[in-house]
Amino acid sequence: MPLRDDITHQGIGMTSQRTRERLLERLFEDGIRNLHVLEAMRRTPRHLFVDEALAHRAYEDTALPIGHNQTLSQPYIVARMTELLLAGGPLDKVMEVGTGSGYQTAILAQVVERIFSVERIMPLQERAKAILKEINVRNVVFRHADGNWGWPQYGPYDAILVTAAPPVVPPELLNQLADGGRLVIPVGEHQQVLTLVRRQGDQFIHEAVEPVRFVPLLAGAIHS
Ligand code: SAH
């Protein structure tokens, strides 16, 4: 496991082990059953991924701001999306679009082999990189770019996870999905639906999972 125990318990006084265990119970009650996902959620210090002023709320099941008008998803959604990706069996190469704080990346990094993570806002990417390094996550490479275009160089991917919502699924992401691969993505503008797309040859099977609320998937990459 890539997470060092001394790091996963850093600041544990403030964010007590009990609070973290309660979050786990809640995820289980809400239907998260994949033990690898639950274990990753238990080990990962979410408080390191948010502003210090919000650290005391890091183990509530709620979305939190991470600056630049972006938000770290609610733990339930992070767990659910990860579980949906894994439901088809073990994953080698996974592309993530929307690194943000890096929290979802940290969870994913513990349950798949390799991650290719794309983020359009440079300072968010830099910060995520630093925290992931600090907690010893080593199987992630980063790209500063518009994720609407994926990361063709390393594709096709066994799975793709998108954590910002486009109005429709970007065709390039479908192109970069391996045969048998799974794409999990929030889709829509005002009403968004978490969507699972499975590729079978040239067929793409779309399945609506549940209503969600994500920030929009925007165009272009920016430096500040
Ligand atoms: N998964 C992140 C939070 C996601 S917030 C976490 O765990 O913290 C959505 C993220 O998607 C933001 O960081 C936003 O900048 C990014 N994003 C939005 N549009 C994008 C695009 N076209 N390409 C890459 N990243 C994008």
Side-chain angles (χ1 to χ4, degrees):
M1 278 300 189
L3 296 186
R4 280 179 11 218
D5 275 346
D6 56 333
I7 297 284
T8 59
H9 291 90
Q10 188 176 307
I12 202 71
M14 177 172 54
T15 55
S16 77
Q17 192 60 37
R18 182 70 202 117
T19 326
R20 291 168 74 158
E21 293 300 335
R22 251 200 313 270
L23 173 62
L24 263 289
E25 284 163 20
R26 172 125 188 222
L27 292 174
F28 189 82
E29 277 166 22
D30 288 343
I32 306 299
R33 287 293 183 273
N34 185 307
L35 294 180
H36 300 294
V37 174
L38 288 168
E39 176 59 15
M41 300 290 297
R42 192 182 68 74
R43 291 170 58 92
T44 306
R46 192 170 183 254
H47 64 279
L48 298 183
F49 293 86
V50 296
D51 194 87
E52 239 171 275
L54 291 168
H56 67 287
R57 300 192 55 199
Y59 299 94
E60 291 173 19
D61 193 17
T62 178
L64 292 170
I66 55 172
H68 302 267
N69 283 326
Q70 303 303 317
T71 53
L72 203 179
S73 305
Q74 176 195 2
Y76 165 75
I77 290 293
V78 172
R80 184 86 176 103
M81 291 174 87
T82 311
E83 193 171 72
L84 283 167
L85 273 198
L86 286 173
L91 300 171
D92 177 16
K93 280 200 300 185
V94 178
M95 173 165 57
E96 176 187 47
V97 175
T99 317
S101 69
Y103 176 72
Q104 168 78 74
T105 320
I107 299 294
L108 206 51
Q110 296 169 73
V111 297
V112 307
E113 286 298 319
R114 293 181 283 170
I115 303 179
F116 300 80
S117 190
V118 185
E119 169 58 53
R120 69 182 285 276
I121 301 178
M122 180 71 96
L124 284 178
Q125 182 188 48
E126 292 297 323
R127 188 162 177 275
K129 252 190 202 172
I131 301 169
L132 291 169
K133 189 169 177 207
E134 187 188 341
I135 63 172
N136 221 25
V137 169
R138 303 204 178 277
N139 52 344
V140 184
V141 287
F142 301 89
R143 183 181 196 211
H144 177 234
D146 178 352
N148 277 290
W149 304 101
W151 193 346
Q153 188 184 348
Y154 295 104
Y157 300 94
D158 302 315
I160 301 175
L161 179 66
V162 184
T163 60
V168 293
V169 179
E172 262 313 305
L173 299 184
L174 296 175
N175 279 340
Q176 290 168 36
L177 197 59
D179 193 8
R182 301 163 77 85
L183 164 66
V184 173
I185 183 169
V187 182
E189 282 170 297
H190 304 299
Q191 305 275 353
Q192 298 171 5
V193 178
L194 187 61
T195 305
L196 168 67
V197 183
R198 284 177 294 129
R199 179 171 197 163
Q200 287 175 4
D202 289 333
Q203 300 260 82
F204 294 91
I205 301 152
H206 292 241
E207 196 181 306
V209 179
E210 59 187 273
V212 283
R213 245 191 39 222
F214 276 82
V215 295
L217 188 74
L218 299 174
I222 58 176
H223 282 87
S224 57

